[in-house]
Amino acid sequence: DGDVVENVQTVASLGRLRSFVSEYTNMLIVPSRKMHRTAHVQGIAFGFTEFAMLAIWALGFWFGGLQVSRNVCEFQAMFKSIMAIVIMAMIAGQTQALAPDAAKASKGAKRLYLLLEKQKKIDQERTSRGKKDTPPVTGAI
């Protein structure tokens, strides 16, 4: 309860601090277990993605080395092709990761253009028609 945190001095003076701390600790057991499971799943997923990336690099270098040893291609050509493939894969991954942001940016740009094209109720550039100009303020009474 937020009241306990806000009024911690009152709770401590009444001697109820330990009971509230133990109640708070008991309330955290279930969310803590869920977070531990989530952390493990995310850790396994991250480990798998790192493994997959490095395994693809290793496979590319192994196959490239095999082609170089069989004189199918030269070492520099093999290296250039592996780098081209890896960089293209990185660009494709970044593009896929930024796709939701691009959609939000497009929607925001449309809203901005609608706002800029909206007819204003008050025209700031229009001069006052038929009204007398106010005299300059001199500060004299």
Side-chain angles (χ1 to χ4, degrees), residues 10-138:
T10 305
V11 171
S13 68
L14 294 173
R16 299 281 321 267
L17 191 60
R18 288 181 194 248
S19 65
F20 280 113
V21 168
S22 66
E23 184 180 341
Y24 181 71
T25 305
N26 290 335
M27 290 173 65
L28 287 178
I29 291 173
V30 174
S32 178
R33 286 183 185 158
K34 287 181 183 178
M35 291 306 296
H36 279 283
R37 271 190 233 119
T38 303
H40 287 288
V41 169
Q42 289 176 349
I44 290 169
F46 178 74
F48 177 75
T49 58
E50 289 293 310
F51 164 76
M53 182 180 66
L54 294 174
I56 290 170
W57 274 89
L59 183 65
F61 281 116
W62 171 79
F63 185 71
L66 195 63
Q67 297 302 323
V68 169
S69 69
R70 293 181 181 169
N71 291 327
V72 174
C73 68
E74 295 180 9
F75 179 76
Q76 289 179 340
M78 180 270 301
F79 224 87
K80 285 180 185 177
S81 63
I82 287 176
M83 287 298 152
I85 291 169
V86 167
I87 289 174
M88 285 180 0
M90 287 171 51
I91 290 171
Q94 288 177 354
T95 303
Q96 185 69 22
L98 294 176
D101 292 339
K104 288 179 186 176
S106 176
K107 185 178 178 181
K110 286 178 185 176
R111 290 177 61 195
L112 181 64
Y113 282 121
L114 286 174
L115 186 64
L116 291 174
E117 293 173 358
K118 186 177 179 181
Q119 191 72 9
K120 297 177 178 84
K121 293 180 181 178
I122 300 174
D123 188 8
Q124 305 140 331
E125 297 174 5
R126 185 182 65 187
T127 58
S128 57
R129 296 181 191 149
K131 293 186 179 179
K132 296 180 181 179
D133 289 331
T134 57
V137 178
T138 59

